[in-house]
């Protein structure tokens, strides 16, 4: 369990993170979403114990960051935004070195390294010097070092940065796999990444947490979409539970409407149209669009720090 309370980080008069509070449970994949400069990396660094907060607290599995930083860091794996790598080392030598830093016993390192290489699909590059690798492969080396010691908390800052489409799909599968045994927190400014793998989304704007919600709840239907074979505004407006009817553009002899109504009103809508002799072509719940929500949030005026 991760408990963050009032987390704040200031650099002089600049506020990088302001009073951020949230919790995360074991097995959750939490997406930290925001534009560049929103405070994602700052919060990641504080969660990993590499940056001291100006105010607030971080508690992981009952341990308080600052009082038990080393114990907490032993339980987490961290991929920073720009993962430091030793370019003259081979992949396998670098991972062996990282395994020693994580405190893995010499006898257990080969199995841990082999497992990390397999999970990140680095097998064909295991003996290659890091300076010969593409950006995508270097990113995978960074992920591999974060997984070596089977951490309970995995913090990934832009994990798909530099990956090609195939590698992105592989990374998404790996993140879902990791959630079977750990809490995963990943930051990104790419909405598709959040929608593809996350259970929960935290949206930051100007250092403040403005949305904290389960992704399924955030995207749950916010009304009904109706397509009919004839004009039906008056019939729809008379249905119990329908508070507003918005007529959309007529296309190919079909009338399209958006209804402000709960999903439970769908049977009554269908029955009303049937009773009026109006053909019903489609009746679907409206899903809240994460991209539209993100744009709306970032168009708002920022609150004072």
């Amino acid at each position: 369990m991760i408990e963050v309370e009032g987390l704040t980080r200031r650099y002089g008069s600049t506020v990088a993170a302001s009073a951020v509070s949230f919790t995360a449970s074991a097995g959750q994949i939490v997406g930290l979403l925001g534009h560049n400069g929103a405070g994602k990396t700052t919060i990641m660094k504080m969660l990993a114990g590499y940056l001291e907060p100006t105010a607030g607290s971080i508690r992981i599995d009952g341990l308080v960051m600052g009082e038990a930083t080393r114990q907490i860091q032993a339980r987490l794996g961290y991929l920073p935004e720009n993962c430091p790598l030793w370019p003259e080392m081979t992949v396998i030598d670098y991972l062996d070195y990282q395994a020693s830093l994580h405190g893995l016993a010499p006898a257990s390192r080969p199995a841990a390294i082999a497992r990390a290489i397999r999970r990140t699909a680095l097998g064909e590059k295991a003996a290659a010097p890091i300076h010969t690798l593409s950006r995508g492969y270097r990113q995978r080396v960074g992920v591999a070092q974060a997984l070596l010691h089977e951490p309970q908390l995995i913090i990934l800052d832009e994990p798909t940065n530099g990956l090609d489409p195939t590698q992105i799909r592989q990374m998404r599968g790996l993140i879902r796999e990791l959630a079977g045994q750990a809490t995963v927190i990943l930051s990104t400014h790419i909405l598709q990444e959040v929608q593809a793998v996350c259970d929960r989304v935290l949206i930051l704007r100007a250092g403040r947490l403005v949305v904290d919600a389960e992704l399924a709840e955030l995207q749950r239907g916010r009304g009904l979409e109706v397509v009919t074979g004839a004009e039906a505004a008056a019939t729809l407006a008379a249905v119990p539970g329908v508070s507003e009817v918005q007529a959309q553009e007529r296309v190919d002899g079909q009338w399209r409407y958006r209804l402000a109504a709960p999903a439970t009103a769908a049977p009554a809508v269908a029955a009303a149209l049937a009773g009026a002799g109006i053909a019903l072509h489609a009746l679907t719940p409206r899903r809240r669009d994460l991209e539209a929500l993100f744009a709306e949030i970032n168009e708002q005026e920022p609150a004072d720090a």
Side-chain angles (χ1 to χ4, degrees):
M1 168 68 80
I2 303 168
E3 300 170 274
V4 173
E5 183 66 35
L7 201 60
T8 299
R9 176 69 192 191
R10 293 178 180 270
Y11 298 94
S13 60
T14 301
V15 181
S18 179
V20 173
S21 299
F22 65 90
T23 63
S25 303
Q28 275 193 325
I29 304 175
V30 180
L32 198 56
L33 183 63
H35 284 310
N36 292 331
K40 304 186 303 296
T41 294
T42 297
I43 289 174
M44 290 272 189
K45 288 180 177 179
M46 289 190 285
L47 287 174
Y50 292 107
L51 183 65
E52 185 176 351
T54 305
S57 64
I58 301 169
R59 188 181 297 270
I60 297 176
D61 289 340
L63 300 174
V64 179
M65 189 71 77
E67 299 176 3
T69 301
R70 292 298 185 189
Q71 294 96 310
I72 291 173
Q73 288 178 331
R75 300 178 181 212
L76 65 84
Y78 178 39
L79 172 69
E81 184 176 17
N82 296 301
C83 186
L85 301 172
W86 280 261
E88 70 280 1
M89 299 179 76
T90 65
V91 170
I92 198 165
D93 286 341
Y94 171 75
L95 293 178
D96 184 65
Y97 173 61
Q98 289 294 321
S100 70
L101 294 181
H102 284 304
L104 294 180
S108 64
R109 289 176 200 168
I113 293 168
R115 182 171 58 247
I117 287 175
R118 182 179 65 254
R119 295 169 92 178
T120 53
L122 280 168
E124 66 182 49
K125 301 293 184 179
I130 290 174
H131 73 83
T132 67
L133 302 182
S134 67
R135 182 178 181 183
Y137 273 112
R138 292 188 186 200
Q139 186 76 346
R140 287 199 263 177
V141 173
V143 175
Q145 64 81 27
L147 310 180
L148 281 166
H149 55 307
E150 297 292 320
Q152 298 169 326
L153 168 62
I154 300 172
I155 299 173
L156 305 173
D157 198 350
E158 303 286 356
T160 59
N161 189 20
L163 302 186
D164 63 35
T166 298
Q167 294 169 341
I168 288 173
R169 288 196 299 271
Q170 292 171 343
M171 183 62 67
R172 290 173 178 174
L174 175 58
I175 290 170
R176 295 187 195 99
E177 176 192 330
L178 294 173
Q181 61 191 41
T183 303
V184 180
I185 297 180
L186 66 92
S187 80
T188 184
H189 59 277
I190 302 173
L191 296 173
Q192 293 90 334
E193 293 305 307
V194 173
Q195 294 178 144
V197 300
C198 293
D199 308 309
R200 174 133 156 261
V201 60
L202 309 176
I203 300 180
L204 291 167
R205 182 172 187 270
R208 294 182 179 273
L209 182 63
V210 293
V211 172
D212 178 358
E214 298 290 330
L215 189 60
E217 173 62 26
L218 198 61
Q219 294 186 303
R220 185 169 294 173
R222 303 291 177 178
L224 296 170
E225 299 272 0
V226 182
V227 181
T228 64
E231 196 283 326
T235 300
L236 294 170
V239 175
V242 175
S243 59
E244 182 181 355
V245 177
Q246 295 180 355
Q248 306 298 302
E249 183 180 1
R250 181 182 172 186
V251 179
D252 296 331
Q254 295 182 337
W255 282 256
R256 299 173 182 271
Y257 300 93
R258 287 184 177 178
L259 310 184
T264 53
V269 169
L273 292 171
I278 299 173
L280 175 59
H281 291 229
L283 175 57
T284 57
R286 290 175 58 194
R287 290 180 61 82
R288 194 173 191 181
D289 185 80
L290 186 57
E291 183 174 357
L293 173 64
F294 188 66
E296 178 184 330
I297 287 170
N298 285 282
E299 287 170 359
Q300 297 170 1
E301 290 295 324
D304 293 334

